[in-house]
Amino acid sequence: METSGSDELPVDIVYNILSRMPIKSLARFQCVSKVWCKYINDTYFETMHNAKRGAMKVDPTMLMMFQLDLYPYASSSLTMLVTNEGEKSATTHEEVVIATKNPPPYMEFGCKDWGPRFILEDIILGSCKGLIFSSQDNNVDDRSTVLLVINPLKRKCYKLPPIKIWSCTSSAFQEREACGLGYDDSTNTYKMVCVVLRNQDKIRSYDHDDDDVVKEDLCTVVHDVVLGGTANSSSSSSSWRKIPALPAYPISGEAVFANGCLHWLVSILLEYWPSNAVGKVVCFDLTKEEFGLIDPRNTLIRMGREHLVDLDGQVGLVYDDISTRHTSCIEVWLLNHETKCWVLHCRFDRKPPLRHNTFIKVIGYWNKDAGDLLITDTTCRRRLFIYRLKQGVLHEANFIYQGYLATTTNIRLYQPTFSSILRRSINNR
């Protein structure tokens, strides 16, 4: 029987043991020896691990807090959060206590100071299969941006080549383009996709239902992200490549990656919003590198704000209705991947502890099996709420943080994945 080398254990036994380990442990085990690192980065082991862990409890979802500090320079920090649930509170609901691990922070990285922002309110611009991304530098002269891909499990950052992805009009940033990080299973490649304006200084009004006018200023570029090297290193893929595919409409907001596709909402910043674009979602197939359209949910469009959210691998759409002051409600819909139709997950009224004059943001599933949701207030990201689907109740979590809290704070859910810990080149093109 073949042995594993210096450890003198049969290879099949080592594979069997490692395949039952959590992903966070495997990330550390790669440092044990060259032999173990070789095993963990073997494509056979990846298949074996997925099969074994699929029958067991998956790695727990972690809560992470990102903060942006502008002094003395723009810098962000990542702090891991821990939760404690089960004690009864005075309101008879289970009390959820969320606190920081000691000592914070877990990781620090450079981050762009956007200045006064209307929609660009997040430090983290998106995520995919164990990686997240932000923006680090801003060249004022040519308005270029350096996107930063972050691997929290390894505490590493990878810089992408500079690209112009934002337009600036007068003194305020306007979101005219969008980007998203996805994973192409056919080539085991992470891809950053950006839809940009060819002419960054040209702001035009779009005519009703005129797709050609919308498309003529848009350009789609893709960067194949190669993970490797040391912390804060550049991606080894040297440039962005232009592809012929274009979305039917400008897109905006955070992209959600699910079922091999990136999903964006049609931009709400069109000066004249075509009637046939209201509520639609633009999708991008990472393997075919083609865009598509998903029809809106079959409900009356009212006054409110929408955003997409990753609900454990499903595309969720959150509609926050503020059409009236006292009867506003919040709806959460799920996209059926097969039928491309929206299914209502839950609907609940806005009432205390939620405020009437602010929008909410659904962060993700607090408990997937029960369908419970983790929610935050867009004006105060340090207020966290749990919506209990089966009980139909919403209550505020007890957030405990000792230390300095920056003005800009984001709370994110993080699920470790096998592809995020690999040391082999994941670009097989």
Side-chain angles (χ1 to χ4, degrees):
M1 183 179 295
E2 183 184 356
T3 62
S4 58
S6 59
D7 50 22
E8 300 299 330
L9 286 176
V11 172
D12 57 345
I13 294 179
V14 176
Y15 269 108
N16 191 28
I17 294 173
L18 292 179
S19 66
R20 301 173 187 274
M21 295 294 103
I23 292 172
K24 192 173 182 180
S25 298
L26 292 176
R28 297 196 303 268
F29 292 168
Q30 291 181 102
C31 301
V32 172
S33 68
K34 292 182 179 180
V35 175
W36 279 32
C37 184
K38 179 181 177 181
Y39 290 158
I40 294 171
N41 284 267
D42 187 355
T43 54
Y44 167 74
F45 176 77
E46 182 177 358
T47 303
M48 188 177 182
H49 183 271
N50 290 338
K52 290 285 181 66
R53 298 296 293 173
M56 303 165 63
K57 185 177 180 181
V58 298
D59 292 69
T61 301
M62 296 182 286
L63 267 178
M64 303 186 301
M65 180 177 69
F66 294 88
Q67 295 193 89
L68 175 62
D69 192 350
L70 302 182
Y71 302 99
Y73 56 91
S75 177
S76 283
S77 63
L78 182 163
T79 300
M80 306 303 295
L81 304 178
V82 294
T83 62
N84 182 20
E85 185 173 359
E87 299 178 1
K88 297 291 183 179
S89 68
T91 58
T92 72
H93 302 310
E94 289 185 348
E95 181 175 309
V96 175
V97 179
I98 299 175
T100 56
K101 283 187 177 181
N102 189 39
Y106 174 82
M107 179 182 180
E108 293 181 309
F109 57 95
C111 184
K112 176 184 296 185
D113 170 19
W114 288 101
R117 296 176 293 179
F118 172 62
I119 289 182
L120 305 175
E121 55 196 9
D122 289 331
I123 300 169
I124 302 303
L125 304 178
S127 62
C128 173
K129 293 178 72 69
L131 301 183
I132 56 181
F133 72 97
S134 182
S135 56
Q136 186 177 48
D137 301 319
N138 182 39
N139 189 316
V140 178
D141 295 330
D142 63 9
R143 300 170 188 167
S144 63
T145 293
V146 173
L147 292 175
L148 192 70
V149 178
I150 304 168
N151 188 332
L153 213 57
K154 291 187 173 184
R155 304 188 189 188
K156 288 187 177 182
C157 300
Y158 305 92
K159 296 180 182 180
L160 273 58
I163 184 175
K164 298 179 183 180
I165 61 172
W166 306 114
S167 293
C168 183
T169 58
S170 65
S171 60
F173 282 98
Q174 296 293 317
E175 190 176 39
R176 311 297 298 200
E177 307 84 25
C179 52
L181 181 66
Y183 188 77
D184 183 357
D185 288 306
S186 67
T187 58
N188 294 325
T189 306
Y190 284 94
K191 295 179 179 179
M192 184 71 75
V193 181
C194 291
V195 180
V196 303
L197 289 176
R198 289 189 180 94
N199 189 339
Q200 294 288 310
D201 297 316
K202 187 177 182 181
I203 304 300
R204 64 183 312 131
S205 299
Y206 294 97
D207 297 328
H208 288 281
D209 306 325
D210 191 344
D211 291 351
D212 292 334
V213 173
V214 173
K215 287 183 178 180
E216 71 179 33
D217 276 341
L218 296 180
C219 173
T220 305
V221 291
V222 178
H223 183 82
D224 300 319
V225 182
V226 180
L227 304 184
T230 59
N232 300 316
S233 63
S234 298
S235 170
S236 60
S237 180
S238 60
S239 63
W240 295 86
R241 54 185 175 87
K242 180 180 175 182
I243 63 174
L246 289 173
Y249 304 99
I251 52 183
S252 67
E254 181 175 331
V256 171
F257 176 75
N259 301 304
C261 295
L262 288 166
H263 302 77
W264 293 271
L265 285 170
V266 172
S267 177
I268 63 172
L269 290 179
L270 290 174
E271 295 183 25
Y272 298 99
W273 203 355
S275 58
N276 63 352
V278 176
K280 287 188 175 182
V281 170
V282 171
C283 59
F284 181 80
D285 188 306
L286 271 295
T287 299
K288 299 179 181 178
E289 296 193 346
E290 296 175 351
F291 284 98
L293 273 176
I294 298 172
D295 290 330
R297 66 196 193 284
N298 189 23
T299 58
L300 178 66
I301 300 296
R302 300 179 295 273
M303 182 185 297
R305 191 167 84 169
E306 295 178 322
H307 69 267
L308 297 181
V309 59
D310 182 356
L311 291 176
D312 197 48
Q314 288 183 287
V315 181
L317 186 149
V318 181
Y319 178 76
D320 192 358
D321 176 27
I322 57 168
S323 55
T324 58
R325 182 175 181 182
H326 299 292
T327 60
S328 60
C329 70
I330 295 162
E331 299 174 348
V332 180
W333 298 75
L334 293 175
L335 179 65
N336 185 308
H337 173 62
E338 300 296 332
T339 64
K340 303 300 181 184
C341 294
W342 296 97
V343 179
L344 183 65
H345 175 69
C346 65
R347 178 189 291 117
F348 54 94
D349 293 332
R350 177 188 293 275
K351 54 186 178 182
L354 293 179
R355 292 177 288 182
H356 280 283
N357 58 345
T358 61
F359 287 106
I360 65 97
K361 182 174 183 178
V362 174
I363 299 175
Y365 275 131
W366 178 255
N367 183 335
K368 179 189 176 183
D369 295 334
D372 300 341
L373 301 172
L374 180 64
I375 300 171
T376 188
D377 187 323
T378 57
T379 58
C380 183
R381 299 298 182 92
R382 292 164 297 214
R383 294 190 68 191
L384 298 172
F385 309 89
I386 310 295
Y387 177 73
R388 307 286 185 182
L389 179 65
K390 295 180 179 178
Q391 293 82 11
V393 297
L394 183 141
H395 58 94
E396 187 167 0
N398 183 13
F399 183 44
I400 301 175
Y401 182 76
Q402 296 181 357
Y404 171 73
L405 276 173
T407 303
T408 304
T409 302
N410 296 162
I411 305 293
R412 305 281 299 202
L413 286 166
Y414 177 75
Q415 179 67 60
T417 64
F418 194 91
S419 56
S420 66
I421 69 167
L422 298 180
R423 290 196 173 187
R424 66 175 185 262
S425 172
I426 63 172
N427 185 354
N428 295 329
R429 283 177 170 249

